[in-house]
């Protein structure tokens, strides 16, 4: 099969450029030429509503995808904030908006949370993903598609653009 006929399907590593907007047109996220999105198809690396729309696309294909909140990061719960002292974090840690942290629940499961405010010695954490509650509107283009290595399939994520990026786990 010729290179340009490779399509997006399971076990492919895909590179995307996109701009993500809310229904109001606010830009929520945007890739740059130096920082495009790399993901392993079929491994739930990206929101399911986007992943399913990309199946069968080729390099150079453009896409416009509307994903309702429930198919993206879910609805926003309103009592999911937690405030803790800044001093509970290491002093040299950059505690900034959007930073993701993990807490452990009673059963030892890791629960993700995000920093929404760091002010006056208090840090506010939100158990909602920052994009929870938003319908997502992706406009983008498929930049590259390649076969995933066995190791990448096993890890359920890509290892860099060429598949050889070192990392420790
Ligand atoms: Zn890995």
């Amino acid at each position: 099969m010729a290179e340009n006929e490779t399509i997006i399907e399971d076990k492919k590593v895909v590179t995307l450029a996109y701009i993500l907007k809310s229904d109001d047109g606010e830009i929520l996220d945007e890739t740059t030429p130096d920082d495009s999105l790399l993901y392993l198809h079929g491994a739930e690396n990206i929101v399911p509503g986007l992943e399913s729309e990309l199946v069968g696309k080729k390099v150079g294909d453009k896409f416009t995808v509307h994903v309702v909140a429930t198919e993206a990061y879910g609805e926003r719960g309103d009592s999911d904030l937690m405030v803790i002292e800044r001093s509970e974090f290491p002093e040299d840690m950059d505690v900034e908006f959007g930073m993701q942290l993990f807490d452990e629940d009673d059963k030892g499961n890791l629960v993700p949370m995000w920093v929404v405010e760091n002010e006056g010695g208090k840090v506010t954490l939100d158990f909602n993903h920052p994009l929870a509650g938003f319908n997502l509107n992706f406009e983008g283009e498929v930049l590259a598609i390649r076969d995933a290595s066995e190791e990448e399939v096993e890890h359920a994520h890509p290892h860099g653009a060429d598949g050889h990026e070192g990392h420790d786990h």
Side-chain angles (χ1 to χ4, degrees):
M1 195 192 278
E3 177 96 26
N4 62 3
E5 287 177 333
T6 305
I7 59 163
I8 297 179
E9 57 190 340
D10 286 358
K11 299 186 182 178
K12 297 287 186 193
V13 172
V14 182
T15 309
L16 299 178
Y18 67 82
I19 181 163
L20 170 59
K21 291 179 184 170
S22 69
D23 282 352
D24 298 334
E26 185 194 348
I27 295 174
L28 302 171
D29 191 18
E30 195 173 4
T31 61
T32 65
D34 292 334
D35 192 18
S36 40
L37 177 80
L38 198 64
Y39 82 96
L40 173 62
H41 194 86
E44 298 179 359
N45 292 175
I46 60 174
V47 296
L50 176 61
E51 189 166 49
S52 60
E53 288 291 325
L54 291 171
V55 173
K57 296 221 181 307
K58 301 178 186 133
V59 171
D61 280 356
K62 296 196 164 54
F63 57 88
T64 303
V65 179
H66 176 78
V67 184
V68 293
T70 49
E71 292 286 306
Y73 295 99
E75 297 293 347
R76 176 165 289 273
D78 49 24
S79 59
D80 295 337
L81 294 177
M82 185 168 93
V83 179
I84 59 176
E85 300 291 325
R86 170 65 181 86
S87 56
E88 299 221 6
F89 293 92
E91 214 166 300
D92 59 354
M93 187 189 245
D94 241 342
V95 180
E96 55 185 5
F97 178 84
M99 184 180 175
Q100 187 180 22
L101 302 162
F102 289 92
D103 194 17
E104 228 174 84
D105 70 13
D106 326 344
K107 293 177 186 135
N109 300 313
L110 289 179
V111 180
M113 54 175 96
W114 288 265
V115 173
V116 290
E117 198 175 277
N118 176 13
E119 223 179 273
K122 308 264 187 209
V123 176
T124 306
L125 299 165
D126 190 344
F127 288 97
N128 292 292
H129 186 280
L131 296 179
F134 283 103
N135 294 332
L136 306 180
N137 298 282
F138 293 92
E139 272 172 58
E141 184 179 345
V142 180
L143 299 182
I145 305 170
R146 66 166 170 83
D147 292 327
S149 69
E150 274 177 41
E151 193 186 42
E152 287 174 317
V153 172
E154 213 172 284
H155 288 190
H157 58 223
H159 290 163
D162 64 2
H164 299 292
E165 194 169 280
H167 65 156
D168 34 65
H169 62 234

